[in-house]
Amino acid sequence: MTRYSYLSHLECARCGHVHDATVAQGLCRRCASPLLARYDLDALKREVPRSSLRDRSWELWRYHELLPSSAASNEVKLGEVVTPLLKMARHGADLGLQELWIKDESATPTSTFKARGAAVGVSRAAELGWTQIAMPTNGNAGAAWAAYAARAGLRALIAMPEDAPRITRAECLTAGAEVHLVDGVISDAGAMIADAVSRGDWVDVATLKEPYRIEGKKTMGLEIVEQLGWTLPDVVVYPTGGGVGLIGIHKAIEELLALGWVEGQMPRFVAVQSSGCAPIVSAFEQGRPDSTFWEDSRTVAFGINVPKALGDFIMLDILYKTGGIAVDVNDDALLEELRILGRHEGLFVCPEGAAAVAATRRLAERGWISPTDRVVVLNTGAGIKYPECVDADLPVLAPGTSIPDSAVHASPTP
Amino acid sequence: MTRYSYLSHLECARCGHVHDATVAQGLCRRCASPLLARYDLDALKREVPRSSLRDRSWELWRYHELLPSSAASNEVKLGEVVTPLLKMARHGADLGLQELWIKDESATPTSTFKARGAAVGVSRAAELGWTQIAMPTNGNAGAAWAAYAARAGLRALIAMPEDAPRITRAECLTAGAEVHLVDGVISDAGAMIADAVSRGDWVDVATLKEPYRIEGKKTMGLEIVEQLGWTLPDVVVYPTGGGVGLIGIHKAIEELLALGWVEGQMPRFVAVQSSGCAPIVSAFEQGRPDSTFWEDSRTVAFGINVPKALGDFIMLDILYKTGGIAVDVNDDALLEELRILGRHEGLFVCPEGAAAVAATRRLAERGWISPTDRVVVLNTGAGIKYPECVDADLPVLAPGTSIPDSAVHASPTP
């Protein structure tokens, strides 16, 4: 008989210690590192053919055997559509790449990929009996977790930097969350939440402090492979803050390879950071297994302003073992890429996504990516959440004024 | 042999005059009214069973027989996912409704339902050889058409009120459109575009001035019926500006009934307007066939700030013949509904969507909607495009400050 989920246990990503997955868990009790969900892939391979996905709804829950929820009725849903994977012919030509694809996460609830972690994380939290969740955030994760908490009937306590995208505050408040702002960065917000958790009846669901957010992010990888007709890309380019998405996509492909649902070579992973906050790039360039706290971090790509990621060692290991690389891009370069991409393809990406595209341009120029490589770049969210990335000041005409001839007859904006 | 599209001709919505659909057309040459696309439904019924949709991708193009593009290769795509249809159990209970559903258009490219009209409209425009499109907009339509124009390699000229949601300007500019702001309302922008069109080589694609935008909007209706398992709702509640969505959903259901793909009674349609701009409500209450220009219109629900809609007579006819109704809601009521809905369901709807939900509450209170009616409310876009709808001012704490005990131990925000 098939199972709804083939979740078998949790395993520490650092020391390998095994933990019970049927009860709520945080970090490894031995070494305080993140736990990874493990599935009974042998049984799944025997019992469920890939073709059984065919008639399922086109949402992330279609991969339920590889997700933690034990029953469909426990899934908390706000409309987790399979997001578009779009080929960018015009922009690809500009970069000298024949197969440049973008996985556009703006179609998710709350318009960023954070919804995936929240959907799966909140579903599992509710299933395991948690009623109050608390987390620090650079904005988008808080917005997503607050929304799913409301949908599930849980309480949410959120702390975020004052400078986080303002719209994300509005999202948290609209979902009824308790929100606090700090004049600092996400690590300051994290300290605040850890303190509150120690005093009250809250569960800390910060990045990688509970094991299921990563399972949600993993679905990006599952979708990409299925959308490419169950084949693998050559290169995956990912804007990296906490790095859960990169870890998740890699984990997805590992699991699909183990199941035999896809064959071929693991893609090379590219971790993209901002020059104003590049701890992973720095560690990678020195060949170190983990990163050092990045002082005075600063970037318009707020979602990747993470001075020290709990999962840094997992990310770096993935970069080393897949023949990948870490690259940083400065704010000017990523904002310029955002504009060019918009004109070429009509996509308004978030600055983090723009950073990933800009890094792809650089790697193509260097020859690290070759013209025939099949490249999937992650746009982690909608540009509309970052109005400050575009100068929208324009003159205002009085009613009855004519649009100038120069505009009516102008050639296309380049 | 089956055809990709069963488009047969265009028919004037007022005088019934038939126009050739194989060449570009604007308004009816006889009476200057909007043209409606007509399909060879008899042939389609004979040649294509509903079940042939089963293996198609989960995007609006799955209904290609009922859309104008003559080939898949002519479809301009930015990821037109089938948007979620979500049951709202908690909010439904609050309204006394057992079956309250929301069709959430925020998952579309550019995060509003306008993308549907733009996807189908631009695809057809490019197919018919247009290279330069011009339009007035309250913001979101311009953003969507600019994005699809860029993707298709067309030029776009957009005029919008200065007060339109600021993010939509940034979207138009990012897509490389030529944008002009006017100190007025959409009708002032419309006059400006009409003037520019008369002077230059542009095609006016304003609401209903070309026949295919409505075909894109129609897909909302096709999706709703399929998502309800090929059954019909009892009531459809729609926030009404230009009214193309309402006309489109009704047209979709008419076509599905003609094909026999669904059976039953046409739903009652509800047109929702803001009390600050309610020409359709006013006309409906007086039993008139068309509306009068609404002077000094004003509402936070900017998308429905349309003082006089070109398709008013079509909308009103639909309300009369389906036993529907037109209702207005003031800004305070819709903003309050936006907040309550957020807390109940985790959804951050746009003010137009909130108006529709608030109207549903009022109609349920009055008994016009009964507790067992199956009600589908349209949320036409993402709330994140309207940051001014939520007060997000909060105190800022210094790093190291503790979150107050009162917050750590507070009961849930109501």
Side-chain angles (χ1 to χ4, degrees):
Chain A
M1 208 188 71
T2 64
R3 285 170 262 168
Y4 193 75
S5 167
Y6 281 75
L7 180 65
S8 61
H9 61 281
L10 298 168
E11 182 182 272
C12 176
R14 196 184 289 272
C15 76
H17 189 65
V18 169
H19 297 66
D20 183 357
T22 62
V23 295
Q25 301 278 5
L27 294 171
C28 176
R29 280 186 304 278
R30 280 206 186 159
C31 73
S33 295
L35 301 181
L36 299 175
R38 297 298 181 201
Y39 297 81
D40 188 347
L41 298 177
D42 290 338
L44 177 52
K45 186 174 185 172
R46 272 195 316 273
E47 294 169 5
V48 182
R50 193 182 73 188
S51 59
S52 64
L53 269 62
R54 200 184 126 191
D55 290 329
R56 295 186 189 169
S57 65
W58 200 236
E59 55 178 5
L60 65 80
W61 308 106
R62 65 194 273 100
Y63 308 108
H64 59 73
E65 288 92 348
L66 291 169
L67 293 173
S69 291
S70 64
S73 55
N74 292 342
E75 291 162 356
V76 180
K77 298 184 178 186
L78 284 169
E80 303 68 32
V81 297
V82 171
T83 58
L85 181 68
L86 299 168
K87 188 162 181 184
M88 301 194 292
R90 208 173 284 120
H91 203 64
D94 190 39
L95 270 61
L97 298 176
Q98 291 166 26
E99 288 241 37
L100 179 61
W101 297 78
I102 195 160
K103 177 74 170 165
D104 187 7
E105 291 290 293
S106 31
T108 49
T110 73
S111 301
T112 80
F113 77 121
K114 299 287 185 182
R116 295 179 185 269
V120 173
V122 168
S123 294
R124 186 66 176 158
E127 184 171 75
L128 292 173
W130 295 351
T131 57
Q132 303 202 140
I133 58 172
M135 66 189 301
T137 177
N138 271 336
N140 283 317
W145 285 73
Y148 281 90
R151 182 80 167 158
L154 311 187
R155 289 185 64 198
L157 173 66
I158 311 280
M160 67 170 80
E162 181 191 6
D163 296 338
R166 196 175 163 88
I167 191 66
T168 61
R169 275 190 224 177
E171 293 180 271
C172 292
L173 291 168
T174 300
E178 176 72 37
V179 184
H180 295 270
L181 302 182
V182 58
D183 179 17
V185 293
I186 191 170
S187 36
D188 298 305
M192 230 173 221
I193 288 294
D195 167 70
V197 165
S198 74
R199 287 152 53 215
D201 199 19
W202 299 89
V203 176
D204 191 341
V205 295
T207 304
L208 295 177
K209 285 197 180 168
E210 61 75 51
Y212 300 111
R213 180 196 293 219
I214 189 175
E215 297 306 294
K217 301 282 184 74
K218 189 176 79 176
T219 58
M220 287 189 284
L222 301 173
E223 290 178 11
I224 289 168
V225 173
E226 183 169 11
Q227 287 173 305
L228 291 175
W230 299 107
T231 65
L232 294 171
D234 298 302
V235 179
V236 173
V237 185
Y238 196 85
T240 306
V244 182
L246 188 149
I247 300 168
I249 293 171
H250 180 265
K251 184 170 188 285
I253 297 176
E254 272 190 337
E255 290 170 2
L256 293 176
L257 286 167
L259 288 172
W261 287 12
V262 71
E263 291 180 349
Q265 173 137 20
M266 178 65 74
R268 290 175 286 154
F269 279 77
V270 180
V272 179
Q273 300 204 293
S274 162
S275 308
C277 183
I280 300 298
V281 177
S282 173
F284 179 83
E285 286 174 352
Q286 296 167 52
R288 290 207 315 267
D290 31 36
S291 66
T292 312
F293 188 94
W294 188 275
E295 298 291 344
D296 296 324
S297 60
R298 191 177 306 271
T299 169
V300 296
F302 211 83
I304 54 177
N305 189 344
V306 179
K308 166 74 179 168
L310 194 55
D312 56 358
F313 70 99
I314 314 175
M315 271 189 274
L316 284 159
D317 182 52
I318 291 170
L319 300 185
Y320 297 132
K321 75 187 175 196
T322 68
I325 196 168
V327 188
D328 65 293
V329 176
N330 69 39
D331 282 1
D332 285 346
L334 73 88
L335 289 173
E336 177 64 10
E337 196 73 41
L338 187 154
R339 284 187 286 267
I340 301 173
L341 179 60
R343 282 156 195 218
H344 281 160
E345 304 290 352
L347 292 164
F348 184 7
V349 298
C350 63
E352 298 83 4
V357 180
T360 305
R361 179 186 293 275
R362 183 174 310 177
L363 291 173
E365 281 167 2
R366 281 199 213 167
W368 192 91
I369 297 176
S370 80
T372 57
D373 276 338
R374 188 155 61 163
V375 182
V376 173
V377 181
L378 274 292
N379 175 41
T380 45
I384 56 170
K385 297 188 90 169
Y386 301 80
E388 69 287 355
C389 287
V390 180
D391 176 9
D393 282 330
L394 291 172
V396 180
L397 308 176
T401 313
S402 284
I403 295 172
D405 262 346
S406 58
V408 172
H409 300 294
S411 35
T413 326
Chain B
M1 208 188 72
T2 64
R3 285 169 264 168
Y4 193 75
S5 168
Y6 281 75
L7 180 65
S8 61
H9 63 280
L10 298 168
E11 182 182 274
C12 175
R14 196 183 290 271
C15 75
H17 189 64
V18 168
H19 297 68
D20 183 356
T22 64
V23 295
Q25 300 278 7
L27 294 172
C28 176
R29 280 185 302 280
R30 280 205 187 160
C31 73
S33 294
L35 301 181
L36 299 175
R38 296 298 182 201
Y39 298 81
D40 187 348
L41 297 178
D42 289 338
L44 176 51
K45 186 175 184 171
R46 273 194 316 273
E47 295 169 5
V48 182
R50 193 182 73 187
S51 59
S52 64
L53 270 63
R54 197 184 128 192
D55 289 330
R56 295 187 189 168
S57 65
W58 200 235
E59 54 178 6
L60 64 80
W61 309 105
R62 66 194 272 103
Y63 308 108
H64 58 74
E65 287 92 349
L66 291 171
L67 293 173
S69 291
S70 64
S73 56
N74 291 343
E75 291 162 355
V76 180
K77 298 185 178 186
L78 285 169
E80 303 69 32
V81 297
V82 172
T83 58
L85 181 68
L86 300 168
K87 188 162 180 183
M88 301 194 291
R90 207 173 285 121
H91 202 64
D94 190 39
L95 269 61
L97 298 176
Q98 291 166 27
E99 287 240 37
L100 179 61
W101 297 78
I102 194 161
K103 176 75 171 163
D104 185 8
E105 291 290 293
S106 30
T108 49
T110 73
S111 302
T112 80
F113 77 122
K114 299 286 184 182
R116 296 179 184 270
V120 173
V122 169
S123 294
R124 186 66 176 158
E127 185 170 75
L128 293 174
W130 294 353
T131 57
Q132 303 203 139
I133 57 172
M135 67 190 302
T137 177
N138 271 336
N140 283 316
W145 284 73
Y148 280 91
R151 181 80 169 160
L154 310 187
R155 289 185 64 200
L157 172 65
I158 311 281
M160 66 171 80
E162 182 192 7
D163 296 338
R166 198 176 163 86
I167 191 66
T168 61
R169 275 191 225 177
E171 292 179 271
C172 292
L173 292 168
T174 299
E178 177 72 36
V179 184
H180 295 270
L181 302 182
V182 58
D183 179 16
V185 294
I186 190 169
S187 36
D188 299 305
M192 230 173 221
I193 288 293
D195 168 71
V197 165
S198 73
R199 287 152 54 214
D201 199 19
W202 298 89
V203 177
D204 192 340
V205 294
T207 304
L208 294 177
K209 286 198 178 167
E210 61 74 52
Y212 300 111
R213 182 197 291 219
I214 189 176
E215 296 306 293
K217 301 282 183 74
K218 189 177 79 177
T219 59
M220 287 188 284
L222 301 174
E223 290 179 11
I224 289 167
V225 173
E226 183 170 11
Q227 288 173 306
L228 291 176
W230 299 105
T231 65
L232 294 171
D234 298 302
V235 179
V236 173
V237 185
Y238 196 84
T240 305
V244 182
L246 187 149
I247 300 168
I249 295 170
H250 179 265
K251 185 170 188 286
I253 296 175
E254 273 189 337
E255 290 171 1
L256 292 176
L257 286 167
L259 287 171
W261 288 12
V262 72
E263 293 180 348
Q265 172 137 22
M266 179 65 75
R268 289 174 287 156
F269 280 77
V270 180
V272 179
Q273 300 204 293
S274 161
S275 309
C277 182
I280 299 298
V281 177
S282 173
F284 179 84
E285 286 174 352
Q286 296 167 54
R288 291 206 314 267
D290 30 37
S291 66
T292 311
F293 188 94
W294 188 275
E295 299 292 342
D296 297 324
S297 61
R298 193 178 305 271
T299 169
V300 295
F302 210 83
I304 53 177
N305 189 344
V306 179
K308 165 75 180 167
L310 194 54
D312 55 358
F313 69 99
I314 314 175
M315 271 188 276
L316 285 159
D317 182 52
I318 291 170
L319 300 185
Y320 297 132
K321 74 186 175 196
T322 68
I325 197 169
V327 189
D328 65 294
V329 176
N330 69 39
D331 282 1
D332 285 346
L334 73 87
L335 290 173
E336 177 65 9
E337 196 73 41
L338 188 153
R339 284 186 285 268
I340 300 172
L341 178 61
R343 283 158 195 217
H344 281 160
E345 304 289 351
L347 292 164
F348 184 7
V349 298
C350 63
E352 298 84 3
V357 180
T360 305
R361 179 186 294 274
R362 182 174 313 174
L363 291 172
E365 279 167 3
R366 281 199 215 168
W368 192 91
I369 298 176
S370 79
T372 56
D373 277 339
R374 188 156 61 162
V375 181
V376 173
V377 181
L378 275 291
N379 175 41
T380 46
I384 56 170
K385 297 188 91 169
Y386 303 79
E388 70 286 356
C389 286
V390 180
D391 175 10
D393 282 329
L394 291 172
V396 180
L397 307 176
T401 313
S402 284
I403 294 171
D405 262 346
S406 57
V408 172
H409 299 295
S411 38
T413 327

